[in-house]
Amino acid sequence: MSEIMETISVPLEADAADRLKRAAAEIGMPLEEFIASAAEQFVTDIENASATLSDDQRASIERGLQDIAAGRTFTHEEVFGELKARFKR
């Protein structure tokens, strides 16, 4: 039985598209196959990483995502300014 294929069109910035084309050409793979393979590997990696997280780790990540969505974040400068002030000798 053959697998049903689906085509998904994704707009990319010109620079990103050029980088993907060059990477596919460097390994001699058709662009469509290269992108599909990379996307599938990315999803597999995420699924495998997620499976190894504890409930506490998942909850902590979820809290962090909620903080980001609510705008409860700090800039790089704010964090390092605080660290420098705290650990100044």
Side-chain angles (χ1 to χ4, degrees):
M1 183 173 167
S2 70
E3 188 174 329
I4 297 174
M5 303 292 283
E6 182 176 345
T7 299
I8 299 173
S9 177
V10 179
L12 297 170
E13 295 285 336
D15 182 57
D18 289 341
R19 290 173 56 216
L20 288 169
K21 290 174 188 174
R22 282 194 306 273
E26 285 178 14
I27 62 173
M29 185 181 279
L31 179 61
E32 294 82 2
E33 184 180 330
F34 176 79
I35 293 171
S37 175
E40 180 62 31
Q41 186 61 55
F42 183 78
V43 170
T44 298
D45 290 347
I46 289 172
E47 290 170 346
N48 290 339
S50 179
T52 62
L53 296 176
S54 70
D55 289 342
D56 287 342
Q57 290 169 320
R58 281 192 190 93
S60 180
I61 291 169
E62 184 59 37
R63 285 191 306 274
L65 292 172
Q66 290 170 359
D67 284 342
I68 291 169
R72 294 185 298 264
T73 61
F74 299 95
T75 67
H76 173 83
E77 291 78 15
E78 290 171 319
V79 171
F80 277 90
E82 174 67 25
L83 288 172
K84 285 178 184 178
R86 186 180 299 175
F87 294 103
K88 189 174 185 178
R89 294 179 187 217

